[in-house]
Amino acid sequence: MTGEELVTRAEAAAANAYAPYSNYLVGATVLLKDGRSFDGVNVENAAYPLGICAEKTAISKAASEGVRPGDVDAIGITASPCGGCRQWLHEWRIERVYFRLENGSIAEYAPASKLLPDTWNLP
Ligand code: THU
């Protein structure tokens, strides 16, 4: 799948977001090297900090099926990933990251570590 296709798919998935507090619907689609894919959405909570981002939902769905860092080819996201999600994208060694910019174009970062310069790692 191209970056455009991944982001378009994430935009369709965003319709399932549970975001009654922010009304900001986010979707993310993870594409594995074996061709499988997983959609995720943001899931909010009345205790605001307990909500989860779309990227983390998509990666967690994949992880629950046995997927591990190195297995993920790409991710498409409806918007720019937050700092915490950038750390997740790096942890999962995602090779291609695409997201929709406010001007409508698609940003590409490959690999995910480009989104987190001089990234912290366990010593
Ligand atoms: N959100 C995501 O799902 N991913 C991000 O990378 C940034 C923010 C969600 C969290 C919250 O539900 C909503 O967007 C507004 O911040």
Side-chain angles (χ1 to χ4, degrees):
M1 262 189 273
T2 65
E4 181 79 45
E5 288 169 336
L6 275 168
V7 171
T8 299
R9 168 112 168 243
E11 286 167 344
N16 287 330
Y18 175 70
Y21 306 105
S22 73
N23 286 316
Y24 187 74
L25 311 184
V26 184
T29 299
V30 159
L31 176 66
L32 305 186
K33 291 176 180 174
D34 68 9
R36 284 182 294 161
S37 59
F38 296 90
D39 294 332
V41 298
N42 53 329
V43 183
E44 297 186 345
N45 192 279
Y48 296 168
L50 300 181
I52 183 169
C53 289
E55 301 90 319
K56 290 161 74 170
T57 305
I59 291 169
S60 296
K61 283 172 73 176
S64 301
E65 298 301 319
V67 173
R68 289 295 172 265
D71 296 340
V72 185
D73 173 21
I75 187 169
I77 315 163
T78 57
S80 173
C82 74
C85 283
R86 291 175 189 224
Q87 188 76 47
W88 269 59
L89 301 179
H90 170 62
E91 175 81 18
W92 286 81
R93 302 296 189 267
I94 299 184
E95 294 184 4
R96 301 182 287 136
V97 179
Y98 302 97
F99 54 86
R100 184 80 70 191
L101 294 170
E102 286 184 9
N103 68 11
S105 67
I106 291 178
E108 172 178 0
Y109 288 86
S113 56
K114 290 253 174 64
L115 288 163
L116 214 55
D118 300 319
T119 311
W120 171 82
N121 278 302
L122 279 177

